[in-house]
Amino acid sequence: MGKVTGFMEFDRVEEGYTPVAERVGHYREFVIGLNTSQAKQQGARCMDCGTPFCNSGCPVNNVIPDFNDLVYRGDWKNAFAVLDSTNNFPEFTGRICPAPCEAACVLNINNDPVGIKSIEHAIIDRAWEEGWVVPRPAKRKTGKRVAVVGAGPAGLAAAQQLARAGHAVTVFEKNDRIGGLLRYGIPDFKLEKQHIDRRVAQMEAEGVTFRTGVLVGALPEDGPGSKVTSLARETVSAEQLQKDYDAVLLTGGAEQSRDLPVPGRDLTGVHFAMELLPQQNRANAGDKVKDAISAKGKHVIVIGGGDTGSDCVGTSNRHGAKSVTQFEVMPMPPEQENKPLVWPYWPIKLRTSSSHEEGAAREFAISTKEFKGEKGKLKSLTTVQVEFKDGKLTEVKGTEKDWPADLVLLAMGFTNPLASVLDAFGIEKDVRGNAKANTDGDNSYATSVDKVFAAGDMRRGQSLVVWAIREGRQAARAVDQFLMGASDLPR
């Protein structure tokens, strides 16, 4: 694939960024994609490796060597056709996927992997520019009706596949706009929302109906995520959906934020990340946000070292924070993984995001013991260093430290989907509180309730956008097979 000796001749070329001083002044995307020559050169690096582990490393099983080769040969339209055959939304994954395919690249054993993500990004952006992305409505209608609950990446992928199979699909979304956490979780500087909007327009042309501001089930009690849920304008009962539709597919996100129940948690100034991030995206969209959280001029501490924490860092810097510090309870990982040991699997190594590069101190092996304040307002927090001992994290004596803090953002991940939807249908849950549904066999993605299916974070728990797309596609095939007795949709 590509040029036979390309991997020996050419180095990996990374996508560029606009300068920090410029990009922290706005919320627009700032990645500088590969030009045609750079993309061709990256495609040339793809090896004729015999067994392309990148394919299996990619959750949607993109046919990566083929589109790499086509880009190298300058056949961009067919490169798009190959990419589009496995991935409904490459413009999402080409921007925000961590690229497990690159970790699995054979060249990554002893060299820098092929820039697969950057090539994908270049292909889909060119496809939109050239007008190759067009609606593909079904030639024949089946007469079957399907309700998809949740308009995140899993729900959108499933809805598009089911509509193309000829079913009448209605997507129910509790928020006022389509996209789920793509819309209200991922900052605009990583994914501008125009990419979602044009896909929605494409899907509407394919026959998908979108109903926003509709909550399926009852409003949950106050708690993590309830502020988002309460924005719904109306509710629809589970019984009504089961009556009106031939199948129901639940594709909501894992929105139950992990809390930190330590003394002082109720002080003003301690917030979940998913309070800050949706507010900022709404403000960027022109909405008036009441009681908006601001990091301007504040000492900000982000608790949680993952992608959501990184998004909080980038957002806080754009607010004009006085300082930003990110805590991670786990030890600092190595800067370089032991490739012979971990390849082709996803390695644990130190990852520095573009948000970190914009300005943030990072602390590892640290745990928060207490929030402190005055007159109900947060002023500082107390931490202690931790270490692994006898298989568990233990505190290191004598390492307590006080940190100035005006704003703390809890970004420690998500535990499970909001229970109200699952409870409304009476669906059996797994031990983590997710919808219990297998992914193999004749009843794949089927829940314990007749004709109700579940996919994405609703079924597997917190995961990547690319996994949500995969599950949405697979669940669509399962629903199609349930309705029609057989399915031509790809898994």
Side-chain angles (χ1 to χ4, degrees), residues 344-398:
Y345 302 109
W346 183 249
I348 296 175
K349 67 176 182 178
L350 182 64
R351 302 176 190 277
T352 300
S353 72
S354 58
S355 291
H356 294 138
E357 294 171 351
E358 293 165 0
R362 303 169 74 183
E363 299 288 335
F364 294 88
I366 191 169
S367 177
T368 302
K369 291 179 64 69
E370 182 180 4
F371 299 115
K372 297 179 179 179
E374 297 175 6
K375 298 181 180 181
K377 292 185 178 181
L378 176 72
K379 293 296 181 182
S380 66
L381 58 78
T382 302
T383 63
V384 63
Q385 294 296 128
V386 292
E387 63 181 357
F388 269 105
K389 196 172 184 179
D390 299 326
K392 61 181 180 180
L393 283 174
T394 58
E395 296 182 0
V396 179
K397 292 182 179 180

Side-chain angles (χ1 to χ4, degrees), residues 216-218 236-239 242 250 418-427 429 449:
V216 174
V236 173
S237 70
E239 292 79 11
Q242 290 170 291
L250 306 180
L418 299 177
S420 58
V421 176
L422 299 180
D423 291 343
F425 284 92
I427 290 171
K429 304 173 190 174
V449 177

Side-chain angles (χ1 to χ4, degrees), residues 1-11 40-49 69 72-73 107 111 114:
M1 292 298 169
K3 187 176 182 181
V4 175
T5 57
F7 69 95
M8 296 186 290
E9 297 178 31
F10 306 120
D11 293 329
K40 177 178 180 178
Q41 190 176 95
Q42 279 304 291
R45 297 183 71 236
C46 188
M47 306 169 67
D48 189 6
C49 56
D69 180 59
Y72 166 65
R73 299 180 187 282
L107 188 55
N111 202 327
V114 175

